[in-house]
Amino acid sequence: MDSLLQAILLGVIEGLTEFLPISSTGHLLIAQVWLDRRSDLFNIAIQSGAILAVTLVYRARLVRLATGWVDDAAIRDDLLKLGTAFGITALLGLLAKKLGASLPETATPVAIALIVGGVVIFAVEHWLKTQAPRTSIGWGVAVGVGVAQVIAGVFPGTSRSAAAIFAALLLGLTHRARAAEFAFLVGIPTMFAATGYELYKTLSDATARAAEPWHELIAAFATAAVVGFATVKWLLRYVAGHSFVPFGWYRIALGVSLLVWL
């Protein structure tokens, strides 16, 4: 397959999987077993393409956060908690990078994380049946979401969105749509910062800069943004009246398949 078409296909995969609790990074790594292996910059930057879709879906909410904090204490509180979650993610993420965390070369760790994550989804959904929906965001939610995002980054296959959403649910934000919104909003600065970090590293290295197929990265970024927009709109409608259990079954089926065939 032509390299540009491969990049566009990876953009489609990213856009479809970034917001679903099934691991976009895991799916990208799996796809690259058969397609050309891509750089860390490519894999992270196209996630930012999907995250760009969130800024469009939540544009009214983002405008309120940016302009209403002076007069609205509730908005200030939301900003502080979003900032706390992002700050924890950034600090622990940099620490993980310094300690040598990197994407795996094989699909086995991804498969294991997919299966474990599926079991976690079942457990959390069973627990949620006993809980009343709560929409308030506590400080425990902010800290937990920040830590969960780093765990997802260290163990591809976990799913950043799944880790953040289920951390929020377990720590008291038991309203699925509200938990998803908080996770997605925290993901905006998280993924843009991660992309900026990888971009800086690549631009600072003449060899890496010359080797990166920039036109393919841009095509994949744009594709992920368009597909991601449609996906997140669908997911928000879905979680308004459904559980995440089907995604748990999907994760387990995919994980087992990978262990058997790869």
Side-chain angles (χ1 to χ4, degrees):
M1 185 187 295
D2 177 78
S3 186
L4 178 59
L5 290 178
Q6 288 188 30
I8 292 171
L9 175 59
L10 291 170
V12 172
I13 293 171
E14 167 58 32
L16 286 171
T17 59
E18 174 62 33
F19 306 106
L20 305 181
I22 56 176
S23 177
S24 62
T25 302
H27 278 75
L28 291 174
L29 291 172
I30 293 165
Q32 289 172 47
V33 170
W34 293 280
L35 304 179
D36 295 339
R37 181 79 179 183
R38 299 286 174 161
S39 67
D40 284 357
L41 171 62
F42 182 96
N43 288 323
I44 291 174
I46 65 172
Q47 291 182 60
S48 286
I51 291 296
L52 178 62
V54 171
T55 67
L56 298 175
V57 171
Y58 286 112
R59 58 190 180 277
R61 173 83 165 123
L62 290 170
V63 169
R64 286 198 300 274
L65 287 170
T67 61
W69 61 273
V70 175
D71 301 315
D72 193 322
I75 290 178
R76 288 197 298 274
D77 186 64
D78 282 351
L79 280 173
L80 284 172
K81 287 166 181 170
L82 286 167
T84 297
F86 168 68
I88 290 171
T89 302
L91 289 173
L92 294 183
L94 284 173
L95 177 60
K97 279 286 186 182
K98 295 294 184 183
L99 293 175
S102 62
L103 296 179
E105 298 292 329
T106 66
T108 300
V110 174
I112 294 171
L114 284 167
I115 294 169
V116 171
V119 173
V120 170
I121 287 176
F122 294 154
V124 174
E125 284 291 352
H126 178 75
W127 174 78
L128 277 177
K129 291 178 182 178
T130 67
Q131 304 298 308
R134 295 189 294 274
T135 59
S136 60
I137 301 171
W139 285 106
V141 170
V143 173
V145 166
V147 173
Q149 290 198 125
V150 177
I151 293 173
V154 173
F155 299 101
T158 303
S159 171
R160 185 199 60 78
S161 61
I165 290 169
F166 285 100
L169 290 170
L170 284 171
L171 292 168
L173 184 56
T174 56
H175 187 277
R176 289 185 186 87
R178 182 79 164 123
E181 177 190 83
F182 187 76
F184 293 162
L185 290 176
V186 174
I188 293 174
T190 298
M191 292 314 306
F192 285 157
T195 300
Y197 177 79
E198 290 295 336
L199 182 61
Y200 171 78
K201 283 173 53 181
T202 300
L203 293 177
S204 300
D205 184 330
T207 302
R209 185 171 65 245
E212 188 67 44
W214 295 100
H215 66 293
E216 295 178 12
L217 189 153
I218 293 169
F221 179 95
T223 302
V226 173
V227 177
F229 182 85
T231 302
V232 73
K233 293 284 282 187
W234 173 83
L235 181 64
L236 291 173
R237 289 195 299 270
Y238 174 85
V239 298
H242 301 83
S243 77
F244 290 105
V245 166
F247 298 109
W249 286 117
Y250 173 83
R251 290 178 66 106
I252 291 173
L254 179 59
V256 170
S257 298
L258 291 172
L259 290 177
V260 170
W261 285 307
L262 290 182

